[in-house]
Amino acid sequence: MNDWVNAEQYAERARTFFQNGEWEKALSELTRAIALNPEQGEWHFGLGLTLDALHRHELAIESYQNALRLRGDDPEIIMHIGIDLIHLGQHRDAIDWLARCNKIDPRLEPGYCFRVAAYTHLNDHEKAEEMFYLARQLQDECPACYDHLAHSLYNRGQIDKAIWCWQQTLRLAPEHDTVRASLGRAHRRRGQLERANVLFEQQLSHHPDDLDTRMRLGRLQMQMDRHADATRTFQSVIDLNPTIALTYAYLAELALKTGDLDETLTNCEMAVQLDPDIPGIHFHWAMAHIQRGRIEQARPLLLLEVDKPDHRPQLAIDISRTLIDLGMVHEAIGLLSRLIAEADMADMAAQAGPTKRQRDPQLATMLLDRSYAFLVSGRRRAGIADCRRALKLTPGNALAMHNLAFAYVEEGQLRRAAYFHRRAAALRTGDPMVRRLGHRIRRIRLAAWIKRLWLRVWPWWSAVAK
């Protein structure tokens, strides 16, 4: 009997700690209570809620299942299992549990609300909207529902509608954990960088430990060429967590842009110690050596970049151009060929889906760079094919026209060369590169005309001379 009394006291203290937000203490007291009396379903449920507050979702599910065993099919417990499965990325299982809770209690609005999130993660946006409107029949406005639907709209590229939904979340729940960060991402995607910057800073004023938002703010400041601000932001991330390798990679990139080569090398070394597979880190390291004239030290570092996956398109373009500049043409072709193939596969998958995807605007640039590499290595026909494809993607691309003209000169097809040169010259009047190619075409055509004239005159001249 004394054990049961002690267990009640532990449970009561746990309730007080939970209400005060002292999760670890609540966990300790509930664990002691359950050890003395494991047949209290309410305590197992409370333990699950406490573990959820500590983001220990797998253990929380175990506690909820123990509570279900003792209390039967309680729809609220079932609902919490479904929500935790979303946190664990098990979205189909989450839908089954949430549907089960609404089968028992059709009036339980969160069962529909969180299915909006689960269907969004599965890219089933039609079902996500269906769940949203079912939830609205039970509750006029719900900040979580607006937030979940906004993510669905954002993923579909409906940015204005997503912003409107997140604004409703902010109106209904001003202290929502992530809504300002989400609005910042949406405004950044819409090109409203100043507004995004303000929203990220507001998010950090409410949640200063939000490392993800600090990283996003730093990248945004880099995009806005606010290098000093970005450096301070990434340094603040290191102050909170010095083990995030990507932070040092961004600091290395910033130091390289500002010409601080010692700082670049130091941050590169730190990043590689933490994660040698970060895309771009060996490139920045190589560039620091190149700027100091240490070309031979840069080459092996560039080779380490070639086989890395997940390069940002612009970074991959910069790497390939550096490879070409150093005469590593075949390596550049290999890198660009892989990225172009990945872009083509993504495009094919998107075209087969319910919504058409915009062609990657940097694909034409990658094709042009590969065409140049092909031309430099003597593979003119492959270079011409890439140029033509780049021109099809960007019909007003003067560089593609110039490269085609150059390639056709090398192939001896002067009419085609002159055609593409005229088009390039019309777009780039006064460009010295285009002008030099024009002079070359005219010299070759003049030489060909003189040769043809001489071949006509030579028989007559020979006869007269005899």
Side-chain angles (χ1 to χ4, degrees):
M1 181 65 71
N2 286 337
D3 284 349
W4 283 31
V5 171
N6 289 337
E8 290 284 353
Q9 290 174 347
Y10 294 143
E12 188 58 37
R13 283 204 295 268
R15 188 176 297 109
T16 302
F17 285 133
F18 185 89
Q19 290 169 350
N20 293 334
E22 298 178 80
W23 317 121
E24 289 289 356
K25 291 180 179 179
L27 177 62
S28 176
E29 295 299 313
L30 267 177
T31 302
R32 294 169 74 183
I34 290 171
L36 293 173
N37 184 359
E39 299 305 313
Q40 291 289 334
E42 182 182 353
W43 296 352
H44 286 284
F45 181 47
L47 183 61
L49 294 174
T50 306
L51 289 164
D52 272 341
L54 292 165
H55 305 290
R56 302 175 189 174
H57 302 298
E58 287 189 61
L59 293 174
I61 289 174
E62 290 180 19
S63 294
Y64 291 138
Q65 288 174 332
N66 288 330
L68 277 181
R69 176 177 55 80
L70 295 165
R71 293 175 58 172
D73 275 354
D74 184 315
E76 190 174 356
I77 298 173
I78 293 169
M79 178 193 73
H80 279 285
I81 292 174
I83 294 170
D84 278 344
L85 288 167
I86 292 174
H87 288 305
L88 296 172
Q90 300 175 33
H91 305 297
R92 295 197 184 280
D93 290 339
I95 289 168
D96 292 340
W97 280 89
L98 292 168
R100 178 179 162 186
C101 95
N102 282 132
K103 187 174 182 181
I104 299 168
D105 183 359
R107 305 295 300 172
L108 196 61
E109 190 267 355
Y112 301 102
C113 172
F114 283 92
R115 270 188 278 173
V116 179
Y119 280 119
T120 295
H121 283 292
L122 293 171
N123 290 319
D124 191 343
H125 301 295
E126 188 176 328
K127 290 294 288 184
E129 286 201 23
E130 180 185 330
M131 292 300 113
F132 175 83
Y133 288 113
L134 286 172
R136 294 292 58 72
Q137 293 177 23
L138 300 173
Q139 183 177 330
D140 286 342
E141 293 187 303
C142 166
C145 267
Y146 280 121
D147 180 41
H148 299 326
L149 184 63
H151 284 286
S152 170
L153 294 163
Y154 182 87
N155 292 347
R156 283 178 275 171
Q158 298 181 28
I159 308 303
D160 290 343
K161 290 182 179 180
I163 287 173
W164 184 86
C165 285
W166 275 317
Q167 286 170 340
Q168 304 316 302
T169 302
L170 192 59
R171 175 177 61 84
L172 295 167
E175 298 305 315
H176 189 282
D177 284 352
T178 61
V179 65
R180 290 175 180 83
S182 297
L183 277 167
R185 287 192 298 120
H187 282 286
R188 181 184 181 182
R189 187 166 168 183
R190 203 159 65 169
Q192 298 170 325
L193 304 187
E194 289 289 352
R195 180 61 180 150
N197 188 82
V198 169
L199 285 160
F200 286 148
E201 288 180 344
Q202 287 178 356
Q203 172 73 13
L204 292 173
S205 70
H206 287 80
H207 304 280
D209 295 337
D210 184 347
L211 292 178
D212 181 65
T213 298
R214 283 189 185 275
M215 294 293 286
R216 290 183 187 277
L217 176 61
R219 292 198 297 272
L220 175 65
Q221 290 166 337
M222 289 176 70
Q223 185 180 350
M224 299 169 77
D225 292 327
R226 296 180 181 175
H227 297 156
D229 290 340
T231 299
R232 282 192 293 271
T233 299
F234 289 127
Q235 287 292 353
S236 73
V237 173
I238 290 173
D239 292 340
L240 292 167
N241 185 347
T243 65
I244 302 174
L246 199 55
T247 313
Y248 297 98
Y250 286 128
L251 284 170
E253 187 175 347
L254 284 163
L256 186 63
K257 286 179 178 179
T258 55
D260 191 341
L261 300 184
D262 289 334
E263 192 67 18
T264 301
L265 293 171
T266 299
N267 283 301
C268 284
E269 288 171 4
M270 285 295 298
V272 168
Q273 284 178 19
L274 292 166
D275 182 2
D277 296 323
I278 298 174
I281 190 61
H282 290 98
F283 171 65
H284 300 316
W285 202 341
M287 289 304 296
H289 283 306
I290 289 169
Q291 290 187 25
R292 285 186 165 169
R294 303 171 182 170
I295 304 300
E296 292 310 312
Q297 287 177 267
R299 290 180 189 277
L301 292 169
L302 288 170
L303 288 175
L304 290 172
E305 284 291 345
V306 171
D307 295 325
K308 287 183 184 178
D310 302 324
H311 282 112
R312 302 192 309 273
Q314 187 55 54
L315 175 61
I317 289 166
D318 292 340
I319 294 169
S320 65
R321 288 176 177 176
T322 304
L323 289 166
I324 293 169
D325 289 342
L326 296 185
M328 302 168 73
V329 177
H330 296 295
E331 291 81 359
I333 290 171
L335 173 60
L336 289 167
S337 295
R338 189 183 79 241
L339 293 165
I340 290 167
E342 289 172 1
D344 287 341
M345 288 179 65
D347 184 67
M348 288 173 62
Q351 296 298 333
T355 57
K356 290 202 171 184
R357 170 180 175 267
Q358 293 287 334
R359 295 304 297 260
D360 185 347
Q362 290 172 309
L363 177 58
T365 303
M366 289 190 285
L367 285 163
L368 275 176
D369 284 350
R370 190 174 69 171
S371 76
Y372 178 74
F374 279 140
L375 294 173
V376 167
S377 62
R379 297 167 63 182
R380 288 193 290 270
R381 291 191 178 180
I384 288 170
D386 274 356
C387 276
R388 283 191 167 279
R389 190 175 166 203
L391 195 57
K392 187 176 180 181
L393 289 170
T394 52
N397 194 321
L399 182 59
M401 297 171 193
H402 172 273
N403 287 359
L404 272 171
F406 174 81
Y408 281 127
V409 166
E410 296 295 311
E411 285 282 286
Q413 301 183 42
L414 294 181
R415 285 190 179 180
R416 289 186 176 182
Y419 168 74
F420 284 109
H421 174 263
R422 283 195 302 272
R423 291 181 63 187
L427 293 169
R428 287 190 174 181
T429 54
D431 187 313
M433 181 175 67
V434 176
R435 191 167 57 246
R436 283 195 299 272
L437 182 59
H439 291 328
R440 183 182 176 194
I441 292 171
R442 284 190 289 274
R443 285 197 303 272
I444 293 172
R445 296 185 83 172
L446 178 62
W449 179 81
I450 291 171
K451 182 179 180 180
R452 288 196 301 272
L453 180 63
W454 177 250
L455 289 173
R456 288 179 186 174
V457 171
W458 174 251
W460 174 82
W461 178 259
S462 298
V464 170
K466 289 179 182 179

